[in-house]
């Protein structure tokens, strides 16, 4: 059962499989870390609460508590308060709770399984996360998945280089994120005659095929911070080509980061005609500064176990056999039950009723009575 705003809704009975992810994590040298379901509300201050509205309550001292709406921040809090030696590689699993709009079709309780790499500042951290992301999807049998890449530094780097006042930059960014083309075009016209004009005319649509987006990015003047971003994205693209040559990769450089605490590359996986991401992750080097003074690099990945379970192909199973018999044939029926895979006894009182049950439930009927001979 799961929590709802006004009612409790039953989740469809699809078996999640977090333990298959745990096996991958352990094989790659990660250690399990468990965090409490109830956390102090202050732990989640870095979250964008528009996307992660938590269930709130008070403890006996009147302190605000929440059912955890996220697992990354509790991991960071535990690492900061326990003095773990770095670098460290952790994995976790559990439920998160988020208040969703009524009748939105979304669940308020979601099972996640994920990893955190803390103390690793190089791009190897992102490569490890993506390797595990691809392995996790392969384990669940999902063949057609789109990998979406983005980077929190791109938008900020371009804006910092624009020759306009800071308020103008803020307004341009908001219009870009909101896809408010009327406002965006009004502001970008101020820069139409600069070296940025050609790029700015395309920026709101800077999403899609990786190579196509990169061609538009090449219209930008040289910006040192952006050059680093482009280099890392190309490294990731070439890595994916080697690991999974048929993997579809798209690039979005016109959206905000998934969370405000992201400081670098972000990646998400999804299937077509689905709103939920199968996995998401990225780099957040400032994350531990919410709980300590020392800055440590960090990158992580989280699987949405329920979304993966919903989209995983169901194994093909033969039709179940209903064994119909007379009462005095019970020993014979028990013998047939043991010898027939995927079968069950039909306890109907008549052959007509047994046949109706078989037809309505798409099962085959095995009749042991003389009438059925």
């Amino acid at each position: 059962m799961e929590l709802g705003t006004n009612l409790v809704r039953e989740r469809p009975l699809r078996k999640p499989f977090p333990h298959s992810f745990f096996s991958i994590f352990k094989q790659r040298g990660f250690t399990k870390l468990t965090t409490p379901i109830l956390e102090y509300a202050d732990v989640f201050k870095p979250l964008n609460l528009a996307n992660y509205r938590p269930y709130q309550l008070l403890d006996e001292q009147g302190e605000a508590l929440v059912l955890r709406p996220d697992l990354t921040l509790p991991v960071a809090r535990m690492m900061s308060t326990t003095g773990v030696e770095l670098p460290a590689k952790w994995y976790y699993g559990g439920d998160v709770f988020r208040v969703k709009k009524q009748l939105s079709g979304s669940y308020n309780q979601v099972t996640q399984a994920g990893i955190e790499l803390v103390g690793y500042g190089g791009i190897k951290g992102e490569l490890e996360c993506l390797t595990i992301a691809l392995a996790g999807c392969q384990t669940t049998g999902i063949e057609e998945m789109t990998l979406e890449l983005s980077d929190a530094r791109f938008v900020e780097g371009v804006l910092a280089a624009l020759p306009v006042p800071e308020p103008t930059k803020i307004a341009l960014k908001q219009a870009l994120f909101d896809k408010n083309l009327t406002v965006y075009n009004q502001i970008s016209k101020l820069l139409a005659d600069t070296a940025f004009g050609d790029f700015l005319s395309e920026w709101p649509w800077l999403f899609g095929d990786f190579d196509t987006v990169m061609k538009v990015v090449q219209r930008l003047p040289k910006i040192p911070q952006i050059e680093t971003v482009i280099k890392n994205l190309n490294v990731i693209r070439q890595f994916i080509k080697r690991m999974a040559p048929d993997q579809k990769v798209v690039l979005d450089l016109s959206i905000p980061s998934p969370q405000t605490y992201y400081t670098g590359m972000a990646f998400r996986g999804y299937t077509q005609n689905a709103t939920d991401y199968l996995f998401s992750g990225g780099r957040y080097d400032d994350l531990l500064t919410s709980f300590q003074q020392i800055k440590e690099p960090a990158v992580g990945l989280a699987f949405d176990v329920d979304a993966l379970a919903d989209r995983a192909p169901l194994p093909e199973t033969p039709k179940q056999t209903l064994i119909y018999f007379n009462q005095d044939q019970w020993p014979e029926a028990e013998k047939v039950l043991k010898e027939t895979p995927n079968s069950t006894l039909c306890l109907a009182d008549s052959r007509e009723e047994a046949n109706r049950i078989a037809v309505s439930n798409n099962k085959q009927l095995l009749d042991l009575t003389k009438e059925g001979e």
Side-chain angles (χ1 to χ4, degrees):
M1 305 289 280
E2 66 162 11
L3 295 171
T5 51
N6 289 321
L7 73 165
V8 176
R9 294 195 295 128
E10 192 91 21
R11 181 181 294 281
L13 295 178
R14 295 293 302 270
K15 184 179 180 180
F17 26 70
H19 291 290
S20 61
F21 300 119
F22 293 170
S23 296
I24 296 173
F25 302 156
K26 288 189 287 187
Q27 288 171 2
R28 301 190 71 87
F30 289 78
T31 302
K32 187 173 184 179
L33 182 65
T34 301
T35 63
I37 291 179
L38 276 176
E39 287 274 9
Y40 284 105
D42 287 347
V43 171
F44 301 99
K45 280 185 177 180
L47 278 181
N48 179 357
L49 295 182
N51 299 328
Y52 293 76
R53 291 176 56 209
Y55 287 93
Q56 302 185 53
L57 56 157
L58 300 176
D59 67 6
E60 61 273 15
Q61 279 83 38
E63 292 284 344
L65 301 174
V66 296
L67 291 174
R68 62 187 182 202
D70 171 81
L71 278 165
T72 294
L73 286 164
V75 170
R77 191 267 306 162
M78 286 195 68
M79 293 191 64
S80 298
T81 55
T82 54
V84 175
E85 184 178 352
L86 299 179
K89 298 165 67 176
W90 300 103
Y91 80 87
Y92 58 81
D95 289 343
V96 296
F97 306 85
R98 301 165 184 170
V99 180
K100 300 292 185 179
K101 292 181 180 179
Q102 288 182 309
L103 306 178
S104 67
S106 300
Y107 290 104
N108 301 313
Q109 179 177 343
V110 177
T111 302
Q112 289 187 346
I115 58 171
E116 304 291 344
L117 297 97
V118 183
Y120 297 94
I123 198 171
K124 287 181 179 179
E126 282 87 341
L127 299 181
E128 174 73 346
C129 286
L130 288 168
T131 299
I132 292 174
L134 294 175
C137 289
Q138 184 178 16
T139 297
T140 59
I142 295 176
E143 297 180 353
E144 294 187 7
M145 180 270 294
T146 298
L147 174 62
E148 177 187 290
L149 302 177
S150 61
D151 197 299
R153 296 167 295 181
F154 185 85
V155 171
E156 298 302 327
V158 173
L159 291 172
L162 296 180
V164 292
E166 191 62 27
T168 304
K169 296 177 182 180
I170 294 173
L172 182 66
K173 179 169 70 170
Q174 192 61 50
L176 175 70
F177 289 165
D178 293 342
K179 296 299 181 278
N180 186 339
L181 297 182
T182 300
V183 174
Y184 179 88
N185 290 334
Q186 288 175 349
I187 299 173
S188 62
K189 282 181 181 179
L190 301 174
L191 297 158
D193 296 330
T194 71
F196 296 93
D198 189 23
F199 170 81
L200 291 176
S201 66
E202 299 285 345
W203 200 4
W205 299 275
L206 204 57
F207 167 80
D209 174 72
F210 185 96
D211 295 331
T212 302
V213 171
M214 277 300 184
K215 288 180 181 178
V216 178
V217 173
Q218 291 173 3
R219 302 177 190 175
L220 273 170
K222 297 297 182 182
I223 305 171
Q225 182 181 356
I226 298 302
E227 291 297 307
T228 301
V229 172
I230 294 172
K231 178 183 176 180
N232 287 343
L233 286 171
N234 280 317
V235 168
I236 293 293
R237 180 69 181 106
Q238 293 305 315
F239 179 80
I240 296 298
K241 279 186 177 180
R242 293 194 301 270
M243 293 287 294
D246 297 327
Q247 175 61 54
K248 182 179 180 181
V249 180
V250 297
L251 182 59
D252 195 338
L253 298 177
S254 63
I255 57 172
S257 296
Q259 279 298 330
T260 55
Y261 57 72
Y262 275 67
T263 59
M265 193 176 300
F267 37 82
R268 298 188 283 197
Y270 61 90
T271 55
Q272 299 299 322
N273 302 320
T275 57
D276 296 329
Y277 287 100
L278 305 178
F279 62 82
S280 63
R283 179 162 291 279
Y284 22 80
D285 289 344
D286 294 337
L287 185 64
L288 291 185
T289 57
S290 300
F291 310 99
Q292 64 183 31
Q293 297 299 316
I294 302 175
K295 182 177 178 179
E296 293 289 351
V299 60
L301 164 74
F303 290 98
D304 184 331
V305 176
D306 299 299
L308 282 158
D310 288 342
R311 289 160 183 77
L314 292 173
E316 293 186 6
T317 56
K319 284 186 178 182
Q320 188 177 47
T321 300
L322 289 179
I323 303 172
Y324 175 64
F325 59 99
N326 289 327
Q327 182 176 330
D328 57 3
Q329 293 179 296
W330 200 289
E332 180 185 354
E334 289 284 357
K335 181 181 178 182
V336 174
L337 179 66
K338 292 179 181 179
E339 296 173 349
T340 307
N342 195 27
S343 64
T344 184
L345 297 181
C346 179
L347 306 180
D349 292 329
S350 67
R351 184 167 178 261
E352 289 75 17
E353 183 183 358
N355 188 66
R356 180 185 60 78
I357 294 173
V359 171
S360 63
N361 291 279
N362 194 28
K363 299 177 181 180
Q364 59 184 3
L365 184 66
L366 177 59
D367 191 348
L368 303 183
T369 67
K370 293 181 180 180
E371 186 178 357
E373 294 178 354

